[in-house]
Amino acid sequence: MTVTGTRNAPDVVDVVALGESMVTFLPARPGRLADVPAFHRSIGGAESNVACALAATGHTTRWVSRVGADGFGDHLVEAIGAYGVDVSYVRRDPSRPTGVYFRTAGDRADDTHEVAYYRAGSAASAMSPTEVDLEAARAGRVLHLSGITAALSPDCLDLMRELTAPRPGRPLVSFDVNHRPGLWGEGQDPDVLLDLARGADIVFVGEDEARQAWALHGARAVREALPEPEIVVVKQGKGGAVAFAKDTDGPCEDADGTATFVRALHVDVVAAVGAGDAFAAGFLSSTLRGLPVRDRLRHGHLAAAATLTTPGDLAPPPPRTLADRLAALDDPAWGRLRLGPGWTDADAEAAEEARTP
């Protein structure tokens, strides 16, 4: 096994993201996988998506993972590194391949959406407490993880348990549940995701996936099942998102002052894949900046809107000046916002017009 540029003492970064990334093949046109004649190569991975989005907003980030010693592994390391993400702790495995997957163009929640994964026995599925650099993984202000990793193999689950276990001096642990039913085989219990979430400091979970994985109905039930994390963000699709915080400083939805709700934006959706990762990146970015809970949710929605209005899993986030200005709108103005393709270029276009005589 070889290691890409291992360092003796990892630099501390804003966010470390650990998890599998795969080469993604996006359809050249809508339709069933059986009917699509060609695909465009891209990259996909919940954790690396967050690292790339945060790097694009100016944060220092690191991706920790394993890929095959193959061309697809080369592509992932180079493409993710091109965003400014530190990839020097990605291990290369000569005996296991890099995972790939194909998907249709539709929304994952749509019945016509298809995904074909080729990840069994992948290099990333061999991640374990001894097969990743734990020091590099913990050398961040935030460590971002997802439930996808826990489903890849027993070794991966052991790694997740190690990283979410309480220990002195650990970073702030962010956990996106990301329940994928197709990854949980016979004998595997998605209730382990509930246990992992209890060990995190910030948890992101969709109301629909909490219902499917844990039979929990409603945001309040999710918070009651997860009393330990400092913040639990329950995403409610097109309705919005609610954050339950132990010490919230924003406007509250509930009389007890623990829940902050922010409605979702009106968005002309191009593709829905990757929006959850973008939301997490926007929320974490504003968390690192010390913004109020309401503004963290708004920045999450804005980052998600950037991805929703582009065809791929990753999209350039809105410039910070634009995002800050929109996040500061009063509630009626926020409710009137409607964003479509190209909206993140608004500041650049306005500046160019100002420069043009």
Side-chain angles (χ1 to χ4, degrees), residues 204-231:
F204 301 96
V205 61
E207 198 170 64
D208 55 344
E209 61 184 346
R211 182 170 57 251
Q212 185 176 37
W214 306 326
L216 296 174
H217 298 270
R220 175 60 63 182
V222 175
R223 181 47 161 171
E224 290 174 353
L226 292 170
E228 298 88 351
E230 288 295 319
I231 297 179

Side-chain angles (χ1 to χ4, degrees), residues 8 52 54 56 62 78 159 175 182 185 201 208 277 304-305 322 344 357:
N8 292 327
C52 290
L54 285 164
R62 172 180 299 128
E78 292 166 6
L159 174 62
F175 182 71
D201 301 295
D208 55 344
D277 303 331
L322 174 60
T344 57

Side-chain angles (χ1 to χ4, degrees), residues 5-16 60-64 86 88-89 133-142:
T6 302
R7 303 167 180 170
N8 292 327
D11 294 333
V12 176
V13 296
D14 289 335
V15 179
V16 176
T60 54
T61 64
R62 172 180 299 128
W63 173 49
V64 176
D86 174 13
S88 61
Y89 292 91
D133 190 320
L134 294 179
E135 186 181 5
R138 291 176 171 133
R141 295 171 61 192
V142 175

Side-chain angles (χ1 to χ4, degrees), residues 1 30 38 104 110 128 186 190 194 226 258 270 280 285 287-288 293 306-307 316 331:
M1 179 186 301
T104 52
D110 192 292
S128 72
E186 187 176 350
L194 195 61
L226 292 170
T258 61
V270 174
S285 175
T287 298
L288 287 164
V293 173
T307 296
D331 288 343

Side-chain angles (χ1 to χ4, degrees), residues 104-124:
T104 52
D107 186 343
R108 182 182 280 117
D110 192 292
D111 290 340
T112 64
H113 184 71
E114 299 174 74
V115 181
Y117 290 108
Y118 299 91
R119 74 196 309 175
S122 70

Side-chain angles (χ1 to χ4, degrees), residues 269-291:
V269 177
V270 174
V273 178
D277 303 331
F279 181 96
F283 191 94
L284 291 176
S285 175
S286 48
T287 298
L288 287 164
R289 295 169 61 198
L291 298 183

Side-chain angles (χ1 to χ4, degrees), residues 289-339:
R289 295 169 61 198
L291 298 183
V293 173
R294 187 208 70 164
D295 290 0
R296 299 182 201 184
L297 289 168
R298 285 192 170 191
H299 278 277
H301 285 312
L302 288 164
T307 296
L308 288 168
T309 51
T310 56
D313 289 21
L314 275 168
R320 184 172 290 183
T321 53
L322 174 60
D324 283 346
R325 189 168 70 246
L326 295 179
L329 292 172
D330 61 27
D331 288 343
W334 175 264
R336 290 192 297 269
L337 272 180
R338 185 172 192 114
L339 304 175

